[in-house]
Amino acid sequence: MLNLYRLVLLLGVLYSAFAGAVEGTVISLSDPARVYEPGSVVEFWKEEQRVGSAAEVYLGQKPIDWRQSRHGVVNIGYSDKPYWFRFQLQNTTDHEEWYLLIDLPLTRSLDVYQLRGGHLENFYHLGDRFEFNARPVDHRSFVIPLTLAGNEQHTMYVRIDNAYSLQFPVYIVEKNRFLKQEITTHLLHGAFFGFLVIMMFYNGFLFFSTRDLSYLYYVCFTLSIGLFQFSQHGFGYQYLWPSEIWFQHRAAPVFCSSAFVFGALFVQSFLNTRLVAPGYHRYINGF
């Protein structure tokens, strides 16, 4: 009788621990004014061998050893294999319109699956493999609209296959809160890029006045840095080349390289390294 009691007690403890673990992985959306970061409860899995269909993953037809993140942003680094991520959402407010923001503008392939009650409700195939206007929301990053009725539980699956460094910065924001936040974000980015434009024109006027090549190199360097940041943050694909898929895949490394080249030319010209430091001049040429 004593052994039976111990067995029942042990099963009760295990059930409580399991139930608590499952409940802990659900992000409860209880405040529409808050930005939720589910990164610390996200589970992820490396797709070593390509699955036959996505349904094998999100319907549980394939045995998968999911790992749980312990950090706010899952940082995989460079990987030649795709990664899957999953987490659960439950809306406990009266606000049904939410946005899922994956703040990773340079992403080659991004698939999002939304399940409700074990059934696929919505799916989105996104990434730089499509033109910009194919996105469900006109945004420099990837924004997915979510309709979450009160107390309904939804499971999100995200598959990322990227040639760049693979991270998973994900946020859940109520729709009106997101739109207000974007106004501030655009103002800050506008101030930064506006400063670069002012510096570019100022040094351009100095070049035309003095004919000193140092100012021209500095103008080209500033332009390259600005375009690199513009493409890195997704604004280039949004505003400058929204239909150029081929160039979008190469814009960031092209502008980053040109910034190094013009930066080196500026240093050589401004410091006159050819005469005062011939050794460093040759080193910069090699660089």
Side-chain angles (χ1 to χ4, degrees):
M1 190 69 181
L2 183 60
N3 290 334
L4 179 61
Y5 171 77
R6 288 177 177 174
L7 178 62
V8 172
L9 182 62
L10 177 61
L11 291 176
V13 171
L14 291 176
Y15 174 79
S16 300
F18 176 77
V22 173
E23 183 180 357
T25 62
V26 179
I27 297 96
S28 178
L29 308 178
S30 57
D31 184 2
R34 178 183 169 188
V35 177
Y36 291 87
E37 303 180 26
S40 59
V41 297
V42 163
E43 295 177 305
F44 61 96
W45 167 67
K46 184 178 182 180
E47 186 182 318
E48 292 284 0
Q49 295 182 345
R50 189 172 182 83
V51 296
S53 67
E56 294 183 20
V57 178
Y58 63 72
L59 293 181
Q61 299 173 353
K62 179 181 178 64
I64 294 176
D65 184 20
W66 292 95
R67 297 171 56 192
Q68 184 166 339
S69 170
R70 300 298 179 187
H71 306 282
V73 176
V74 182
N75 191 345
I76 304 298
Y78 288 92
S79 173
D80 58 348
K81 300 292 184 181
Y83 268 80
W84 285 82
F85 305 87
R86 74 174 181 180
F87 55 93
Q88 295 175 309
L89 302 173
Q90 186 173 15
N91 180 22
T92 60
T93 71
D94 296 331
H95 299 260
E96 296 187 357
E97 302 297 323
W98 295 76
Y99 279 147
L100 168 66
L101 168 63
I102 302 175
D103 194 11
L104 203 62
L106 298 181
T107 303
R108 190 66 55 87
S109 176
L110 174 66
D111 299 328
V112 180
Y113 303 87
Q114 179 185 1
L115 278 75
R116 179 170 63 91
H119 300 283
L120 183 64
E121 185 167 286
N122 291 304
F123 67 91
Y124 300 91
H125 296 311
L126 306 170
D128 292 347
R129 53 186 169 161
F130 304 111
E131 294 184 4
F132 184 84
N133 58 13
R135 302 184 182 187
V137 177
D138 185 5
H139 191 269
R140 59 188 179 84
S141 289
F142 298 98
V143 178
I144 294 91
L146 301 176
T147 301
L148 306 174
N151 294 318
E152 284 189 347
Q153 188 167 308
H154 295 248
T155 305
M156 307 299 303
Y157 285 82
V158 180
R159 181 183 184 272
I160 300 179
D161 188 3
N162 207 5
Y164 307 100
S165 179
L166 200 157
Q167 298 176 325
F168 191 57
V170 58
Y171 308 94
I172 312 296
V173 192
E174 195 272 331
K175 182 177 180 179
N176 294 325
R177 171 75 170 83
F178 176 81
L179 296 176
K180 293 178 181 178
Q181 177 180 296
E182 279 302 293
I183 294 175
T184 303
T185 302
H186 273 73
L187 286 174
L188 293 175
H189 279 104
F192 171 74
F193 290 114
F195 173 76
L196 291 181
V197 170
I198 291 173
M199 292 297 296
M200 187 176 65
F201 276 102
Y202 172 73
N203 285 277
F205 286 130
L206 290 178
F207 167 70
F208 286 113
S209 300
T210 64
R211 298 297 176 178
D212 187 343
L213 281 178
S214 300
Y215 296 111
L216 180 60
Y217 293 144
Y218 192 78
V219 168
C220 295
F221 170 75
T222 306
L223 178 62
S224 299
I225 286 291
L227 289 173
F228 169 69
Q229 292 293 330
F230 214 61
S231 60
Q232 187 84 353
H233 289 284
F235 291 111
Y237 203 33
Q238 183 177 9
Y239 296 116
L240 298 182
W241 52 85
S243 301
E244 301 300 327
I245 298 175
W246 182 88
F247 184 69
Q248 169 64 9
H249 293 167
R250 296 159 177 81
V254 165
F255 293 130
C256 181
S257 300
S258 65
F260 277 118
V261 170
F262 287 116
L265 290 173
F266 169 75
V267 169
Q268 287 181 326
S269 178
F270 186 75
L271 299 180
N272 196 16
T273 55
R274 183 186 297 273
L275 295 179
V276 301
Y280 284 111
H281 186 82
R282 289 191 296 270
Y283 175 79
I284 295 174
N285 280 338
F287 174 76

